[in-house]
Amino acid sequence: MQVTFLGTGTSQGVPMIGCHCAVCSSVDYRDKRLRVSVHIQTQGKSLIIDSGPDFRQQVLRARIDHLDALVFTHEHKDHTAGMDDIRAYNFKQQQDMPVYAEPRVLDQLRREYAYIFAEHKYPGVPKVQTMPILSDTESFLVEGVEVHPIRAQHYKLPVLGFRIGNFTYITDANYLSPESMERVRGSEIIVLNALRHEQHISHYSLPEAVDILTDLAPRVGYLTHIGHQLGKHREVEATLPDFIRLAYDGLQVTL
């Protein structure tokens, strides 16, 4: 399995519009963070989790020429706003794009992308095949790849993380139940969101994320969905336990 971090930033990205703080002004490429997304290549399949507003830029930069499926964690715009750009894969692959999400999320996509789901479609609109995720405890297949859903809470919004083999990806969360923790436990690599140092209403803070990863004890823990308030990549990473790293855009990990 090869995992590529397409984006590791929070909803406004880093740098943030109009901000001239030390992080937003940094020349370190690791401090340039597009909206959060990850590409997974496994068992001959190419999957992307979440397609935010930077989706086109991300797949061009990563040279992702083939995509078998798109999987959504939840319906917020910084995770869904780039779905229109799957058109290129429709044209190239000559097939509809399977889109996996909970029914609530699919309903939101139908409202926001009404032209995609219209009875009489305008020529050239994206073509999708909706694939409902009906359980947050039972595994499901994404184009033949077994995926285990992980229920998390994003303040009061239920969201999904995903475990594929020994890789677990959880973003936009500030609570994992004991049952969800056990579904994650044993993963070799765990990706978890860490927005900033201070507590936040809907995201884990850095201390909270470190505590969770210390409990779960993966071989490596990566932090994502990072805001400019967290600090410069180089400086923050130097303070972390040896097995925890800050993810950055373009980082590739092989399991």
Side-chain angles (χ1 to χ4, degrees), residues 1 3 38 40 42-43 47 49 71 73 136-142 145-151 160-171 179-191 216 218 255:
M1 181 188 300
V3 176
V38 69
I40 299 170
T42 185
Q43 300 174 39
L47 319 174
I49 300 177
V71 185
T73 58
D136 61 5
T137 58
E138 296 181 7
S139 65
F140 59 98
L141 295 179
V142 175
V145 176
E146 186 174 20
V147 178
H148 299 268
I150 308 293
R151 174 60 74 202
L160 287 179
F162 302 104
R163 178 172 179 171
I164 303 174
N166 284 320
F167 174 78
T168 295
Y169 182 81
I170 299 170
T171 183
E179 293 77 15
S180 291
M181 288 281 285
E182 290 310 307
R183 292 175 67 81
V184 176
R185 195 175 303 279
S187 300
E188 181 180 351
I189 292 178
I190 299 173
V191 181
L216 293 173
L255 286 81

Side-chain angles (χ1 to χ4, degrees), residues 86-200:
I86 64 169
R87 286 181 295 161
Y89 294 111
N90 292 148
F91 300 153
K92 185 174 186 295
Q93 297 167 198
Q94 290 296 298
Q95 62 185 32
D96 296 358
M97 180 63 65
V99 173
Y100 292 77
E102 294 190 270
R104 180 197 77 243
V105 179
L106 293 175
D107 287 343
Q108 181 70 22
L109 293 174
R110 290 186 184 98
R111 289 191 292 272
E112 294 187 356
Y113 293 97
Y115 62 96
I116 294 178
F117 298 95
E119 182 178 356
H120 302 290
K121 295 178 176 60
Y122 190 84
V125 301
K127 296 180 179 180
V128 303
Q129 179 185 9
T130 56
M131 307 295 289
I133 301 172
L134 300 176
S135 172
D136 61 5
T137 58
E138 296 181 7
S139 65
F140 59 98
L141 295 179
V142 175
E143 306 309 295
V145 176
E146 186 174 20
V147 178
H148 299 268
I150 308 293
R151 174 60 74 202
Q153 288 294 131
H154 183 31
Y155 184 43
K156 295 182 179 181
L157 181 71
V159 300
L160 287 179
F162 302 104
R163 178 172 179 171
I164 303 174
N166 284 320
F167 174 78
T168 295
Y169 182 81
I170 299 170
T171 183
D172 284 45
N174 70 325
Y175 177 73
L176 289 168
S177 69
E179 293 77 15
S180 291
M181 288 281 285
E182 290 310 307
R183 292 175 67 81
V184 176
R185 195 175 303 279
S187 300
E188 181 180 351
I189 292 178
I190 299 173
V191 181
L192 191 63
N193 68 128
L195 183 69
R196 62 189 192 187
H197 294 277
E198 300 79 17
Q199 281 193 324
H200 188 269

